[in-house]
Each structure stands twice: as structure tokens, then as C-alpha cells.
Amino acid sequence: MTIAGRSEAPPGRAEVLESRPSPMDGFDPEQLGSRLRALRELRGLSVRELGRRLGISASAVSQIERGLMTPSVNRLLAMVTAMEANLSDVFDASATPAHATPSEPAAASGYVLSRGAAAPVELDGGVLFRSLAPTSTRGVDFFESTYPPGVHAGGSHERITHSGYEVGTVTSGTLTIQFPDGTVELGPGDSITFPCELPHRIGNRHDEPAVATWLIVHEAGGSQT
């Protein structure tokens, strides 16, 4: 790691989400937009009001919801924050768990997501997001992000803020995270934690894809991302 500018249930007791094609297979901009629209309507927000909160036009919101425009990482985070939602509300695969062992009630069991059961969604710029949580859990988002070479979240010099606390570990490649007072480079095995309210911009300045796993813990009693 280099810094610039700044000094569950035991095996056998868990319910397994069957290793079959997930409802998220082929998760495309239209499907992403549909879920964002459903969240907006659930919150009772108009397209115009959501656009006002985001500082964009109602037309831009409509294009995202219809799958005509793919949001960047920063735009997606801004949208779920403006709707007081979690990323899991967007990426929840709604998979049905296999039947629990009769001797172990479902309420006492955990859940297992089989490898490859949740497909990623590709955001603007080619960043891939994939949910790693077997089920939607209030107050927590757990996901994987893949940044292709030369790709950053959002536009040039654009930093994002959202609510909660973020913990990330790079599993391959090198990620660069820009903060107001400096830049951090994370290599394989490096971890970082910071409050999401701190303006930050994540990207990959190198020639190989960078993959990281992230845990976002939201404010106690809240549901924002």
C-alpha cells in the first residue's frame, strides 16, 4: 500500500441458495433502471423530485430508469442515497433458499450464496458491481467491484459522498482512492476503512483489472447508502 499526501452459522446448518441460474443473470441497464424506478416509486418520489435531489434533469433520471443511460458508480450511489435506500435494494437477487433441514428451523439457519449465482452489472465506464450478500440485510451492503485499466468512478476529479462507513480489501490489481488531503494506492491484500461522508474517488491507474470486496455499514437505525 502506498499513500501520497497523508501520513455466521456453522457448516451444515446454513440454508444454501441453489446453484442455478439467478434472476440476476444478464443483469443489464434496463433491469437496473427498472429496479431504480421501483425504488423511487416505493419512496413516493416523482422523477422531477429525484432529479432535483441529484442535481440532474428529470429527463436524465427517466433515461436511466428506462435503461437508455447507464449510471456511473458515483451516480448509482447518489441515486440510492437520495432515495434513502441501500445498494442491496438494487442488487438483491431475490433468490429462494433451499428447504431447511427439518431438525434445524429456518430462523436458526444462515444462508449461503453459491459461487457464480449472482451476476454482475456493468456500470458506465465498464466498472462491474456484483452483490456478495446471499440475502438483503438491513444496514449492510457487501459487494465486489472490478475496475478495468484506466477507469475511474465518475467524471474527472469528481468525488462522491454517501452515508455510512466503508471497509474494502483489494484482492487483485491496484486501486487508487483519492481523498481531499491525499491519495492512497492499495495492492492485493491491502485494506482500507473510512467514513463514506469523506469525499472520495476510486479508480484504476494501472494496466490490469483491479478487484476489491467492500462492506458498507450504514448508520444504526438508518437505511441509507
Side-chain angles (χ1 to χ4, degrees):
M1 175 175 65
T2 60
I3 302 177
R6 58 179 295 174
S7 307
E8 269 147 67
R13 293 185 58 189
E15 294 186 26
V16 178
L17 300 186
E18 296 174 359
S19 183
R20 62 183 185 278
S22 161
M24 285 188 65
D25 286 345
F27 201 25
D28 56 25
E30 186 175 351
Q31 194 171 2
L32 174 62
S34 176
R35 294 189 180 188
L36 289 170
R37 181 175 62 251
L39 275 176
R40 175 181 59 76
E41 292 175 345
L42 183 65
R43 297 303 193 272
L45 297 173
S46 67
V47 171
R48 185 179 299 277
E49 172 59 20
L50 181 56
R52 186 193 67 77
R53 293 186 182 188
L54 295 171
I56 63 176
S57 67
S59 175
V61 173
S62 178
Q63 288 185 61
I64 291 172
E65 291 186 348
R66 288 183 291 154
L68 301 178
M69 180 188 299
T70 304
S72 66
V73 174
N74 288 3
R75 179 69 72 205
L76 177 63
L77 289 171
M79 291 185 77
V80 294
T81 298
M83 294 187 288
E84 299 186 352
N86 294 342
L87 280 174
S88 59
D89 294 321
V90 179
F91 291 96
D92 182 11
S94 301
T96 302
H99 293 296
T101 304
S103 60
E104 295 290 343
S109 302
Y111 295 88
V112 175
L113 183 66
S114 299
R115 180 181 177 87
V121 58
E122 182 174 341
L123 301 177
D124 185 44
V127 179
L128 298 179
F129 264 36
R130 182 169 68 92
S131 175
L132 297 178
T135 62
S136 179
T137 303
R138 282 291 93 189
V140 175
D141 281 318
F142 185 40
F143 61 94
E144 175 186 83
S145 66
T146 301
Y147 283 75
V151 169
H152 286 76
S156 177
H157 307 300
E158 177 188 1
R159 296 189 180 99
I160 186 68
T161 62
H162 47 109
S163 66
Y165 213 86
E166 195 154 355
V167 183
T169 298
V170 173
T171 56
S172 66
T174 304
L175 272 182
T176 300
I177 306 180
Q178 299 172 342
F179 296 103
D181 61 346
T183 298
V184 178
E185 277 207 343
L186 303 172
D190 288 340
S191 297
I192 190 169
T193 182
F194 56 90
C196 301
E197 289 86 355
L198 182 65
H200 55 281
R201 181 174 185 250
I202 301 176
N204 179 5
R205 295 176 173 175
H206 298 269
D207 296 329
E208 61 176 316
V211 182
T213 58
W214 300 94
L215 181 71
I216 298 179
V217 181
H218 306 290
E219 302 293 340
S223 61
Q224 285 190 322
T225 293

